[in-house]
Amino acid sequence: MIEQYFSEKENDSQKYDFSFISITEDKPKDEELICELQKAILRAYRDPKFLQHKRQNLDRAGLENYILKNVIPNAITNCDFSVRYGDFGEVFASLIIEYIQGKKTFHKLRWKYNSNKSVFGTDILAFDSLNNPKKITYYEVKTRKKALNKEKNEFITVIAYKSLEKDMLSDTETILDFMSRFYFETHEYEKSDRFSDLVDGASTVDKSYEIFVITDSNVLSKNYQQLLSELHSIHKKISPLSVTFVFIDNLKELMTDTWNTIVKNGAEFIEMDVL
């Protein structure tokens, strides 16, 4: 579905010490896209089978209340909206990675203890194969309208890189260890052992790193080169590195429309068993 609305364009990266790709819109956003994004968000937060199980004891109003109170972040404070921005970006990026870049993704939104909080650590992990991974890409996702973070006085590409580098140079491989434990608990022991071997160093894979910037095309499409130049200028300790910019016309409007009807539509999706 996402590939009907967006497509990838590889750009001239010769002047940077990383590869650069842009994703742009091919088709105007419509209700069908919003519904697909809502389904993807709900699947990211909960196993569809779990939601079907909840349905056994809940009517339509009960389903809506559960989604509102327990599944999606609040929309009250600025922190709430920040969490919504970040979660939307992770889900959107995972769709691009899966359906346009052709990789298998694993991200951590489903295992939040508190729907109103962000989850720390690597945003998304992508594999060439989950059954026998040979290549892994670590992703840091930023969903922003503004290029510069005034509090840190740094551009978002630089902030994203520093966060990614900090995680990657850590002594502990937290997300792979989590995946090993996750597959063990779901009785997929061969998968669990493969990821355990990666954590322990018994086996190795090719690793790469990618920054995902999801932004409003009306704001940054003409001056995003500055963000790339700023990133190019800093010393880097991890490679190979890629940067993907996703340009969305009226990004805030798309997110607002998606969140505004996700409770009502989500209950319908569960009742119709179309997640």
Side-chain angles (χ1 to χ4, degrees), residues 122-144:
T122 305
D123 289 332
I124 301 173
L125 210 54
F127 304 85
D128 55 332
S129 167
L130 281 174
N131 291 320
N132 188 21
K134 302 294 184 183
K135 297 179 180 178
I136 297 179
T137 307
Y138 295 80
Y139 289 85
E140 179 71 20
V141 182
K142 296 296 182 186
T143 308
R144 297 286 191 277

Side-chain angles (χ1 to χ4, degrees), residues 36-189:
E36 289 304 312
L37 290 174
Q38 290 171 336
K39 291 176 184 177
I41 289 171
L42 291 172
R43 289 194 301 267
Y45 285 138
R46 294 290 187 278
D47 186 324
K49 292 180 181 178
F50 176 82
L51 293 174
Q52 281 299 315
H53 182 71
K54 293 290 292 186
R55 178 191 173 199
Q56 296 177 13
N57 301 314
L58 297 173
D59 57 12
R60 169 65 68 84
L63 284 173
E64 291 186 3
N65 187 63
Y66 177 74
I67 294 170
L68 179 65
K69 297 292 180 63
N70 298 96
V71 179
I72 64 173
N74 281 335
I76 301 171
T77 69
N78 287 336
C79 288
D80 296 334
F81 284 105
S82 179
V83 172
R84 285 192 170 198
Y85 255 71
D87 288 1
F88 179 94
E90 285 192 33
V91 175
F92 194 96
S94 70
L95 292 174
I96 296 291
I97 295 164
E98 289 253 356
Y99 294 100
I100 294 182
Q101 295 186 346
K103 302 175 184 177
K104 303 298 182 183
T105 63
F106 185 95
H107 57 102
K108 59 208 182 304
L109 295 181
R110 190 174 291 179
W111 294 276
K112 282 188 175 191
Y113 284 103
N114 186 336
S115 61
N116 299 315
K117 301 293 184 181
S118 297
V119 185
F120 293 105
T122 305
D123 289 332
I124 301 173
L125 210 54
F127 304 85
D128 55 332
S129 167
L130 281 174
N131 291 320
N132 188 21
K134 302 294 184 183
K135 297 179 180 178
I136 297 179
T137 307
Y138 295 80
Y139 289 85
E140 179 71 20
V141 182
K142 296 296 182 186
T143 308
R144 297 286 191 277
K145 288 185 67 175
K146 296 181 180 179
L148 183 69
N149 183 309
K150 292 184 178 179
E151 291 183 5
K152 296 184 177 181
N153 195 32
E154 287 184 321
F155 287 88
I156 55 173
T157 45
V158 175
I159 295 172
Y161 173 78
K162 288 182 176 180
S163 178
L164 189 60
E165 183 181 84
K166 180 180 179 181
D167 286 343
M168 294 307 96
L169 296 182
S170 170
D171 291 336
T172 55
E173 179 58 271
T174 54
I175 193 166
L176 288 180
D177 185 59
F178 173 78
M179 291 180 71
S180 176
R181 290 183 286 118
F182 167 77
Y183 286 124
F184 186 88
E185 291 177 6
T186 57
H187 308 294
E188 298 178 80
Y189 299 119

